[in-house]
């Protein structure tokens, strides 16, 4: 009996079938036999696959649906890649799932990596010793000559990720551990291999992405939403086989069952809701973010055409991938073939407008309506909070009083209490608002051991970041002027010269503040450190632009997009980049790119941002008309009341705390052994982990103690505006307030900077 009834999927585009499918079936069966895949022995007896198994799974049909427009030889190549990746997945689990031979698994993966050679080093690959190695060796040599070195590097990283992160799945099986939803989405992108599939779309569509656009938010979001949708759909179809029959625990339905403590059917429906949301995010990004990116980047017609072909290729993959899942013997798919494989609307020249309604049918229309109908300034009232699950001790610096005096005087000198030049909002802040935020208190909590000058610098970064986070919505969002927000960001970028030679004369409060902070912070740094700091600040600034865009559209973000962008609006990139500077000589940069450190840091950032969103709920929703709050995002996505949403956010925070502690207790020691780190590196990483606990604890204590989130203070501010006091604060809202306490300003001099969240 099936575990649940498959939900109604959002299927806005019809699947199309490549005419070369029969030729490809014959080729792929022959290739799999010749390369040794059909003879590969299974530790459980027999072979991993036989001809009947491979024919039933029908990867040629999958690729014919997901790549409907490529020619026969290209379809053969793409299909061979998928045969290899699915065989690798089954072979790896057959070899190591039951034996729990972790050392053997690592050695197996290390050997495979050697076949992904760099340009000009093809002869350095070893002789293949098994079918997985022989197939990868063959495919690598057939594919990489067609593509650039940049693409080869990206594809090598994607292939490595889906191989090496299989250890994460194996470790969770070994421990009987089920991931939390945030961890699962992040890790599934690597283990599931959809970014790898996106790289192959570039090959099949002749659409290699221009390297200067690859790291942009629109293309990153397109790839991530594509990946999430592919994986969530796969998890729905594969739950029966993976969870019920094979005992695996890397499946979104199981993750949702466990986290929400609900039935399998309810979990499946929630997973499908998230799948729909990610597809809507994909479409919105393709239609509203990619065209401006191409224009602003002055992309050539050829580059624009390749990006367009890439977007179409990802769209084809979604439609075709669903069709194959609905037909393959590999999955639970009872009555899943519900959509015809031909469009139900006119096609061809002149019929595009007739097809547009298909973009907004069923679940997609419901999701869009849900996102764009939030009433502004809703009188939600105080949100009572229980004790939050942050079990770490908090300390405070003895230099707090002096830092308070310094910070306020610095803010006054930068002009934070004066009218914004060229804007109609008057002064964004006054001294009462600054006092209620008490940035020095925050800095003293998250950096208790700082020297006086370090604490002053941290306090100033907190003040500047919070002020900037208020300016963007108050000045640009209220005026619905995204272009002006981007122009502001470009000017601020010039305030951070890598050569420390001033490039602009500061003309606004934001520019004066950043110019001063950059000089004080970056002067003693090495060039690579300045580059990383500048990139981290720009990450925060461009995230504020994203908030303005949502404000203009009155759009509550997709939950995954919100969580990931929240780290950036909170200044998380800056926090983590600066935290590493003090130990760069002891810890190799590659260590910080590992899954263990990445998960440690993102868990920390999420705990900090959730703390802020819980405390600031009334302030943001009722007094500021905000849409960027996780409690509201959960309310909107799950259609629940604010108290239920609050409890879900707290549960998610607790699961991230548990994950943080799991990493510290288990994954960090294992990482030390696997990478053979010396005593200095281990000491530095232990310090980093301890600092992160103080960071989380300090943020919580600061939120609990300051006035800015308390109902009495918010009410007094409202009454003051209505009585004509603080008239510059704006109509209908309190100043937006720090929206990124996640940026540990308290380390900027020594290595960490922070900025408050609203």
């Amino acid at each position: 009996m099936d575990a649940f009834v498959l939900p109604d999927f959002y299927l806005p585009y019809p699947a199309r079938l490549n005419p070369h499918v029969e030729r490809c079936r014959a080729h792929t069966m022959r290739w799999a036999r010749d390369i040794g895949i059909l003879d590969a022995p299974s530790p459980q007896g027999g072979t991993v696959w036989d001809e009947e198994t491979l024919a039933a799974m029908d990867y040629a049909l999958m690729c014919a649906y997901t790549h409907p427009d490529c020619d026969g030889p290209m379809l053969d190549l793409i299909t061979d890649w998928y045969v290899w990746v699915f065989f690798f997945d089954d072979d790896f689990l057959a070899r190591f799932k039951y034996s729990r031979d972790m050392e053997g698994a690592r050695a197996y993966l290390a050997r495979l990596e050697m076949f992904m050679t760099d340009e000009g080093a093809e002869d350095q690959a070893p002789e293949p010793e098994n079918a997985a190695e022989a197939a990868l060796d063959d495919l690598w040599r057939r594919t990489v000559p067609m593509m650039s070195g940049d693409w080869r590097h990206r594809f090598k990283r994607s292939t490595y990720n889906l191989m090496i992160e299989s250890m994460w799945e194996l470790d969770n099986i070994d421990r009987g551990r089920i991931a939390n939803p945030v961890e699962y989405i992040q890790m599934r992108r690597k283990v599931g291999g959809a970014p790898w599939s996106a790289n192959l779309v570039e090959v099949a569509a002749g659409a290699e992405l221009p390297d200067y656009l690859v790291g942009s938010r629109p293309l990153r979001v397109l790839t991530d939403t594509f990946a999430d949708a592919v994986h969530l759909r796969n998890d729905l179809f594969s739950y029966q086989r993976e969870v019920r029959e094979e005992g695996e625990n890397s499946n979104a339905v199981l993750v949702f069952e466990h986290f929400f403590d609900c039935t399998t059917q309810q979990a499946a429906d929630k997973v499908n809701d998230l799948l729909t949301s990610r597809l809507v995010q994909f479409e919105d990004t393709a239609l509203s973010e990619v065209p401006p990116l191409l224009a602003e980047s002055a992309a050539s017609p050829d580059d624009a055409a390749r990006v367009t072909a890439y977007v179409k290729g990802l769209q084809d993959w979604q439609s075709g991938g669903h069709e194959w899942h609905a037909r393959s013997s590999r999955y639970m798919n009872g009555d899943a073939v519900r959509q015809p494989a031909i469009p139900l609307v006119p096609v061809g020249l002149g019929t595009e407008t007739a097809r547009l309604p298909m973009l907004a049918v069923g679940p997609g229309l419901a999701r869009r309506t849900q996102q764009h109908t939030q009433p502004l300034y809703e009188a939600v009232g105080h949100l009572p909070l229980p004790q939050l699950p942050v079990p770490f001790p908090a300390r405070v610096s003895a230099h707090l009083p002096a830092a308070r005096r310094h910070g306020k005087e610095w803010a006054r000198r930068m002009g934070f209490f004066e009218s914004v030049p060229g804007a109609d909002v008057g002064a964004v802040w006054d001294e009462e608002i600054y006092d209620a935020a008490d940035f020095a208190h925050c800095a003293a909590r998250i950096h208790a051991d700082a020297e006086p000058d370090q604490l002053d610098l941290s306090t100033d970064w907190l003040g500047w970041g919070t002020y900037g986070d208020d300016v963007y919505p108050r000045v640009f969002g209220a005026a619905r002027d995204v272009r002006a927000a981007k122009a502001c960001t470009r000017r601020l970028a010039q305030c951070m010269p890598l050569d420390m030679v001033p490039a602009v004369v500061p003309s606004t409060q934001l520019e004066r503040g950043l110019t001063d902070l950059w000089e004080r912070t970056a002067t003693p740094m090495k060039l690579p450190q300045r580059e990383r700091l500048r990139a981290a600040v720009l990450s925060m600034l461009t995230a504020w632009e994203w908030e303005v865009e949502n404000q203009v559209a009155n759009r509550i973000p997709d939950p995954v997009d919100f969580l990931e962008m929240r780290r950036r609006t909170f200044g998380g990139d800056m926090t983590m980049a600066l935290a590493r500077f003090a130990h760069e000589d002891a810890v190799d940069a590659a260590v910080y790119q590992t899954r263990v450190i990445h998960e440690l840091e993102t868990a920390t950032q999420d705990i900090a941002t959730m703390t802020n969103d819980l405390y600031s709920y009334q302030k943001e929703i009722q007094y500021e008309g905000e849409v960027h709050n996780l409690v509201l995002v959960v309310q909107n996505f799950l259609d629940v009341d604010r108290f239920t949403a609050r409890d879900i956010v707290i549960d998610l925070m607790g699961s991230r705390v548990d994950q943080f502690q799991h990493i510290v207790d288990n994954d960090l020691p294992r990482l030390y052994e696997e990478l053979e780190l010396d005593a200095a590196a281990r000491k530095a990483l232990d310090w980093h982990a301890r600092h992160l606990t103080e960071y989380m604890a300090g943020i919580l204590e600061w939120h609990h103690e300051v006035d800015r989130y308390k109902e009495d203070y918010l009410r007094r501010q409202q009454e003051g505006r209505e009585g004509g006091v603080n008239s510059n604060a704006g109509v209908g809202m309190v100043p937006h307030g720090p929206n990124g306490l996640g940026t540990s300003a308290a380390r900027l001099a020594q290595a960490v900077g922070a900025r408050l969240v609203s």
Side-chain angles (χ1 to χ4, degrees), residues 499-521:
D499 59 4
M500 303 308 293
V501 177
V504 295
V505 177
S507 60
T508 67
Q509 293 96 325
L510 274 178
E511 291 175 6
R512 283 196 294 274
L514 184 56
T515 298
D516 178 82
L517 290 168
W518 181 257
E519 181 179 355
R520 292 159 61 193
T521 306

Side-chain angles (χ1 to χ4, degrees), residues 584-599:
E584 280 198 332
D585 294 337
V587 182
D588 187 271
V591 175
Y592 289 111
Q593 305 306 313
T594 60
R595 174 190 65 82
V596 172
I597 304 301
H598 179 262
E599 288 296 316

Side-chain angles (χ1 to χ4, degrees), residues 117-188:
T117 55
D118 292 328
E119 198 167 4
E122 289 79 6
D123 294 339
Q124 296 179 17
E127 284 296 317
E129 295 179 354
N130 55 52
E133 292 179 359
L136 180 57
D137 184 52
D138 175 74
L139 290 165
W140 192 259
R141 295 176 187 275
R142 289 163 59 192
T143 306
V144 295
M146 294 185 287
M147 309 299 287
S148 72
D150 291 328
W151 180 90
R152 181 191 295 223
H153 177 73
R154 288 189 282 114
F155 187 58
K156 181 177 179 179
R157 183 171 63 248
S158 296
T159 309
Y160 172 80
N161 283 342
L162 72 86
M163 292 192 308
I164 197 64
E165 299 305 350
S166 297
M167 295 295 295
W168 173 78
E169 288 185 313
L170 204 60
D171 182 57
N172 281 343
I173 292 172
D174 188 44
R175 296 175 181 273
R177 178 177 178 272
I178 299 174
N180 63 69
V182 179
E183 175 192 9
Y184 180 78
I185 292 294
Q186 289 185 170
M187 288 304 302
R188 188 73 163 94

Side-chain angles (χ1 to χ4, degrees), residues 89-110:
D89 188 49
D90 288 354
D91 182 49
F92 184 81
L93 287 176
R95 287 172 181 263
F96 306 111
K97 174 182 175 181
Y98 301 104
S99 69
R100 303 293 198 267
D101 179 10
M102 307 297 280
E103 289 302 317
R106 292 189 191 95
Y108 175 84
L109 296 174

